[in-house]
Amino acid sequence: MTASQPTTEQVWTIDQAVDDLVRGEAAWAACGRAKRRELLERMHAATAEHAEAWVRAAVAYKRLPEGSPLIGEEWITGPYPVLTSLGALASSVGALEEGRSPVDGFSFGRAPGGRVSVRVLPHSIWDQLLLNGFSAEVWMPPGVTKETVRGRAGLSQLRPTETNGVGVVLGAGNITSIPVLDVLYELYANNRVVALKLNPVTDGLLDVFSQVLAPLIDLGAVRILTGGADVGSYLVHHPKVSHVHMTGSSATHDAIVFGTGAEGAGRKKAGTPLLDKPVTSELGGVSPTIVLPGGWSEADLRYQAEHIATQKLHNGGYNCVASQVVVVSSDWAQKDRFLAHLRAALSDAPARPAYYPGSDDRVATALASYPGAEDIGAGRVLIKDVAPADPGPALASEYFGPVLAVLELPGDARRFLDEAVRTANEEFAGTLGVNLIAHPGTIAVLGTALDEAIAALRYGTVALNAWTGVGYLTATATWGAYPGHTLDDVQSGIGVVHNALLLDGPERTVVRGPFHPAPRAILHGRTTLSPKPPWFVTNRTAATTGRLLADFAAAPRWSALPKIFASALRG
C-alpha cells in the first residue's frame, strides 16, 4: 500500500504497541477458559456502562439530528450487537469450560445438497418474544456431519494455550460495532492478540472503545491505534505482525495486499502480493434484492417498498450489505405499482447528512452513468434504465451510498427466480448478501424450488423476507462472504466473523422473516408478533426501541419487555 511515511513519534507508538502485544501473547496464552469467560463478562458490563457515550459519539460523527428516530440505528448496530455477542461468546467458552460443545442445546436440521444446518435463531425464550417470526440457520458445506460440527465447534478455544501471534484489525468506519466484534473474533476464534487500527472516521470513539476493551488492554492482549493510511501501512507490514484482518472495499483490500497504481495491478495479475502475510477480510459488493412476482395487496406493496428502502438507506447507504439492485419481473402485473411505492419510500425516508467520505462523488458517478438515473432528492438516486444485456456499472461497482438501481428480468415466479439466481451468481460483484422477497402464496407454489434456489445462491448470507442485516445482528450467525475467494479475486472477502458458536468452516447463514408485520399478519392467518422492525428507516420510535433493546441485552429480564413491546408497536 503506497502511503506517506508516519512520523517518528507515530513509528515509536506503533512499535511500542506491537512490542506490548508480543509480551501480551504470553499473558493471553496463560488465560484459561474461566479467565477468558470472565474477561467477556467484564467487557459486557463495560459496554452496558458506556453504551450512552458510545451512541453519542456515533451520532456526532454521523451528524444525526438531535431527537431523530434514526439514532435508533446507532443503538441497534453499536452497543446492542456487542452486548449480545459478548454474552453468546461467554456461553460458548463456558460450555467448553464444562466439557460441553458450544452447539449443545442448539437444534440441527437438514438443508438441500446434503447439508447440515444449525438453527441459531430463535434459541432462547427472549429470541422467540423479541424477534418473533424471524429465524436463522447456519449451513455447513455438503458432507459435513452433525458429529463433526459438534466436535470442532470451539475453534482455537479447544486449544487455548496455542496462540497465533499478533494480528492487526483495520477497523471499519461505518458500523460502530464492527471494530470491537472483529477484535473479539481474532482473540476468541483465532487466538491472536490484536492491534486495532481505527478508521479515522471513528476516532471519536477511541475513548469508548478503550473503556469497553479495557479488560483486554490491561491484560496486554489489545492495543488501539489511530492515524491515517501511513500508520495503517506501517502497521500491516510490521515484521512482528503475523496476520491482518480488514473491513472495507475490494479496492482498499487490493491496495493493501498488492499496492496501488500500475505496479499494484501488475502484482495482482502475477499473484505476487506486496503484503507477505495471511489476510482475512469482510468486504462489500453489489447486494441484490430479488422480488418474486405474486398477488400483493396495496399494503404489501407499500410495506415491502419501505423494507427495500431500509435495505438501501439504513446508515445512509454506507453499509457493505446495503441493497444496490432490485431485481423484478418485467412480466409482473403489479411491477409498475410496486416501483411507484419504492420511489416514494426512497424519497420520503428521513434525510440525513452524507457523512462518509467520497459519497457525493460516488452519487454523481451513478447519475452520470445512466441517462435515465433520477435524483429523487436528499442526495438519493434511483436508476431504472439498467438493461439486462448491458447493465453498466450498477452490477459491477459498489456505490456505497444512497444509490438504488432496478433490473428487470422476464418470467413468472419460477422462470424469473431461476434467471434471477443465475444473474446474481454470475453478473453481480461480490458475495456478501442477497435478499429475496416473496408472498407466502408464492412460497407455497414454488415449494422445494425456493429452497433449491436459496442453496444455489453463492452468498454468505441469504435472507428471505428479511434483510441480510438481521444476520449481522445475530451473534451466533456467521458473517462474511461465500467461501472460496482468493487474494487476487477477493470479491466480498475471505473468512467469517461473529460466529459466536465458533463453528469450524461454515458455508453460509440463511435468515427468514415474516412477509406481513403484526398486527396485519393476523388477517392473513399468521401468528407472528413482530411489528415493523426497529431498523426500518421509517420506524417512528426506532430511537426509543433501540435504546430499550440495548438495555435489555445488558440485563435480560421479564420486567423490561412491556416497554419494548409498547415502543415497537408504536413504530
Side-chain angles (χ1 to χ4, degrees):
M1 180 169 59
T2 303
S4 60
Q5 294 299 310
T7 66
T8 301
E9 183 178 356
Q10 287 173 321
V11 168
W12 185 90
T13 300
I14 297 166
D15 288 346
Q16 182 65 50
V18 173
D19 285 343
D20 288 348
L21 291 168
V22 169
R23 291 187 293 271
E25 184 181 4
W28 178 246
C31 287
R33 296 189 185 111
K35 176 65 174 178
R36 293 184 181 199
R37 176 180 48 77
E38 179 197 343
L39 290 167
L40 291 166
E41 291 166 351
R42 287 168 56 194
M43 284 184 282
H44 190 275
T47 303
E49 180 182 353
H50 298 283
E52 182 82 39
W54 184 324
V55 171
R56 281 200 308 269
V59 166
Y61 88 80
K62 296 183 181 184
R63 307 197 303 278
L64 294 176
E66 185 177 354
S68 170
L70 296 173
I71 293 172
E73 295 179 357
E74 302 313 315
W75 284 101
I76 293 170
T77 64
Y80 172 78
V82 171
L83 286 163
T84 57
S85 291
L86 286 164
L89 269 175
S91 294
S92 291
V93 176
L96 293 167
E97 185 184 348
E98 296 170 1
R100 298 181 290 109
S101 170
V103 299
D104 286 354
F106 287 80
S107 60
F108 284 76
R110 304 295 301 180
R115 293 173 171 89
V116 164
S117 63
V118 183
R119 189 178 183 89
V120 296
L121 179 75
H123 179 61
S124 68
I125 184 63
W126 310 125
D127 293 338
Q128 295 174 28
L129 292 171
L130 294 175
L131 288 167
N132 189 264
F134 289 88
S135 67
E137 299 172 338
V138 177
W139 290 12
M140 305 303 291
V144 175
T145 66
K146 174 182 174 180
E147 291 71 28
T148 299
V149 173
R150 187 182 184 279
R152 293 181 180 175
L155 296 177
S156 71
Q157 295 312 303
L158 296 171
R159 298 169 297 279
T161 60
E162 298 175 16
T163 53
N164 293 303
V166 177
V168 167
V169 167
L170 299 177
N174 56 341
I175 296 296
T176 60
S177 55
I178 294 176
V180 176
L181 293 176
D182 288 352
V183 166
L184 293 175
Y185 200 70
E186 281 295 275
L187 277 156
Y188 282 85
N190 298 314
N191 239 5
R192 278 188 283 268
V193 293
V194 180
L196 168 61
K197 158 63 174 63
L198 296 184
N199 186 305
V201 176
T202 62
D203 280 354
L205 282 154
L206 173 61
D207 289 345
V208 170
F209 288 167
S210 297
Q211 294 292 334
V212 167
L213 295 170
L216 295 171
I217 293 171
D218 293 345
L219 183 70
V222 169
R223 288 293 181 266
I224 305 177
L225 297 162
T226 60
D230 51 354
V231 170
S233 180
Y234 183 83
L235 179 60
V236 299
H237 288 281
H238 199 286
K240 296 180 183 178
V241 165
S242 59
H243 182 273
V244 175
H245 178 80
M246 65 162 291
T247 300
S249 69
S250 58
T252 301
H253 170 274
D254 287 352
I256 292 170
V257 173
F258 296 103
T260 58
E263 290 185 0
R267 292 190 193 96
K268 181 178 178 181
K269 185 177 180 179
T272 54
L274 181 66
L275 187 63
D276 60 346
K277 57 197 68 175
V279 180
T280 55
S281 51
E282 186 266 272
L283 311 175
V286 178
S287 294
T289 296
I290 300 170
V291 181
L292 275 68
W296 296 15
S297 69
E298 193 72 9
D300 295 338
L301 293 167
R302 185 182 307 109
Y303 177 79
Q304 295 300 344
E306 291 183 23
H307 191 182
I308 294 176
T310 292
Q311 295 173 7
K312 173 73 275 178
L313 297 178
H314 182 279
N315 194 36
Y318 311 119
N319 286 333
C320 289
V321 78
S323 178
Q324 182 161 303
V325 181
V326 180
V327 187
V328 298
S329 172
S330 56
D331 296 320
W332 184 24
Q334 295 176 294
K335 177 200 69 177
D336 291 340
R337 189 67 186 144
F338 171 72
L339 293 179
H341 276 292
L342 180 59
R343 186 193 182 284
L346 292 167
S347 177
D348 295 344
R352 66 176 93 198
Y355 76 87
Y356 207 86
S359 176
D360 291 342
D361 291 341
R362 293 190 296 274
V363 169
T365 297
L367 276 169
S369 299
Y370 293 91
E374 179 186 6
D375 184 343
I376 58 175
R380 296 161 188 167
V381 173
L382 181 62
I383 305 170
K384 294 205 290 189
D385 57 338
V386 179
D390 184 19
L395 273 62
S397 302
E398 182 186 14
Y399 287 124
F400 206 69
V403 178
L404 186 67
V406 176
L407 174 68
E408 296 186 19
L409 299 174
D412 59 9
R414 178 59 189 268
R415 180 182 164 211
F416 167 78
L417 178 59
D418 289 345
E419 182 60 15
V421 169
R422 184 202 66 79
T423 303
N425 281 340
E426 297 178 9
E427 300 185 30
F428 280 63
T431 65
L432 186 59
V434 57
N435 314 282
L436 299 99
I437 297 177
H439 189 280
T442 304
I443 294 174
V445 169
L446 288 170
T448 58
L450 182 56
D451 292 330
E452 291 166 359
I454 290 172
L457 283 161
R458 297 192 293 270
Y459 285 81
T461 300
V462 181
L464 174 62
N465 290 335
W467 180 31
T468 48
V470 177
Y472 177 92
L473 294 176
T474 303
T476 45
T478 58
W479 186 250
Y482 192 78
H485 300 315
T486 57
L487 285 180
D488 57 355
D489 184 21
V490 74
Q491 296 285 319
S492 289
I494 297 171
V496 299
V497 289
H498 303 188
N499 187 26
L501 294 181
L502 302 175
L503 301 173
D504 185 24
E507 181 185 71
R508 74 180 86 192
T509 287
V510 177
V511 177
R512 291 179 172 88
F515 182 83
H516 300 107
R520 190 160 55 85
I522 298 173
L523 302 176
H524 297 271
R526 308 290 166 177
T527 57
T528 178
L529 302 177
S530 292
K532 179 188 293 185
W535 53 83
F536 267 42
V537 294
T538 52
N539 191 301
R540 295 169 295 181
T541 60
T544 302
T545 305
R547 178 192 291 268
L548 290 169
L549 286 171
D551 176 69
F552 181 85
R557 59 207 183 276
W558 289 102
S559 61
L561 295 180
K563 284 186 177 180
I564 296 175
F565 292 151
S567 179
L569 287 169
R570 292 195 303 270

